[in-house]
Amino acid sequence: MDVKDAVFNKIYPPCIQAAAERHWTPVAVAKLAAEYLAEKPGKKVLDIGAGAGKFCLVGAASTNGFFYGVEQRASLTKISRKIAEKHDITNVEFINSNINKINFSNYEAFYFFNSFFENIDTSSPIDHTILPDSYLYHTYSDYVKEQLYKTPVGTRLVTYWSKWDEIPGNFELVDSACNGFLSFWEKAS
Ligand SMILES: C[S@@+](CC[C@H](N)C(=O)[O-])C[C@H]1O[C@@H](n2cnc3c(N)ncnc32)[C@H](O)[C@@H]1O
């Protein structure tokens, strides 16, 4: 799959396209991350805050992994499901829920694109359906950190534009790209 972002983003309605540059993972980044996370066929990869599904859709179309995207905004989950169905992408599932209801033991690898930052940086909101609250930034980051802490040794994680607040001390940085904004992690102990 070798598609330019300007072309890929046309699958979305205009208001979702408008949010792409700031909020949705670029295709090339999604491919790199997905290849690292889904290194074995059928690997269950969870996108923590799936937005309009771009990371999961690109990952599912370019690897043999199975991608799960959890997203709090119902409207975005609906769009993601529609696109997967329309393009017959079957190795993906979109879940409309808050991440703090998700047990990470059901998944094998994780992707995180600074999802909780909207609670502390209100300069370019996706929409106005979520009331930003810095308390939520810390609560959600702590929840993810606790869940990742309990994953098995060898678990892979990729973060993009993260402040690393959600990464437990038992994960090791194994590589980085995009001037350090894309980080590849593995659970060491
Ligand atoms: C920066 S976007 C990334 C979207 C997608 N992962 C991608 O890379 O294309 C972050 C998304 O996380 C979602 N999000 C933020 N907090 C969440 C939470 N507590 N539970 C579920 N989704 C959340 C937001 O609604 C937003 O759609």
Side-chain angles (χ1 to χ4, degrees):
M1 188 194 194
D2 200 9
V3 188
K4 285 198 165 37
D5 284 289
V7 174
F8 183 95
N9 294 339
K10 287 202 175 105
I11 59 173
Y12 292 119
C15 59
I16 303 298
Q17 283 182 40
E21 199 179 330
R22 176 75 179 256
H23 296 287
W24 321 137
T25 303
V27 172
V29 171
K31 276 178 67 180
L32 264 182
E35 277 159 17
Y36 174 72
L37 294 172
E39 89 284 16
K40 284 189 291 211
K43 190 104 179 261
K44 294 164 98 178
V45 180
L46 176 69
D47 184 5
I48 303 163
K54 190 170 173 186
F55 167 74
C56 285
L57 292 164
V58 172
S62 58
T63 73
N64 288 319
F66 198 107
F67 291 76
Y68 297 84
V70 171
E71 170 54 47
Q72 64 181 347
R73 287 176 164 89
S75 60
L76 296 181
T77 305
K78 199 172 158 192
I79 289 169
S80 308
R81 286 179 184 149
K82 256 191 168 170
I83 292 170
E85 204 175 305
K86 185 170 171 197
H87 295 273
D88 205 21
I89 302 176
T90 53
N91 53 333
V92 71
E93 185 179 321
F94 293 105
I95 301 153
N96 179 224
S97 181
N98 196 298
I99 200 64
N100 63 12
K101 302 279 181 293
I102 302 297
N103 186 337
F104 284 25
S105 67
N106 295 323
Y107 306 94
E108 299 172 286
F110 303 88
Y111 178 71
F112 183 77
F113 176 10
N114 210 13
S115 295
F116 313 137
F117 196 56
E118 64 176 352
N119 287 295
I120 50 176
D121 174 14
T122 55
S123 64
S124 181
I126 294 173
D127 57 32
H128 296 284
T129 62
I130 300 291
L131 214 59
D133 182 346
S134 62
Y135 170 79
L136 289 179
Y137 175 85
H138 297 290
T139 308
Y140 295 153
S141 300
D142 288 350
Y143 179 80
V144 168
K145 196 173 187 174
E146 271 169 42
Q147 290 289 312
L148 289 174
Y149 183 81
K150 293 188 278 189
T151 58
V153 168
T155 298
R156 292 182 172 197
L157 163 73
V158 174
T159 57
Y160 186 48
W161 280 94
S162 161
K163 283 155 55 71
W164 298 4
D165 289 331
E166 67 293 333
I167 300 167
N170 53 6
F171 272 73
E172 221 168 54
L173 185 64
V174 295
D175 204 354
S176 73
C178 304
N179 295 323
F181 289 114
L182 184 65
S183 304
F184 301 82
W185 304 86
E186 190 172 304
K187 176 100 182 282
S189 60

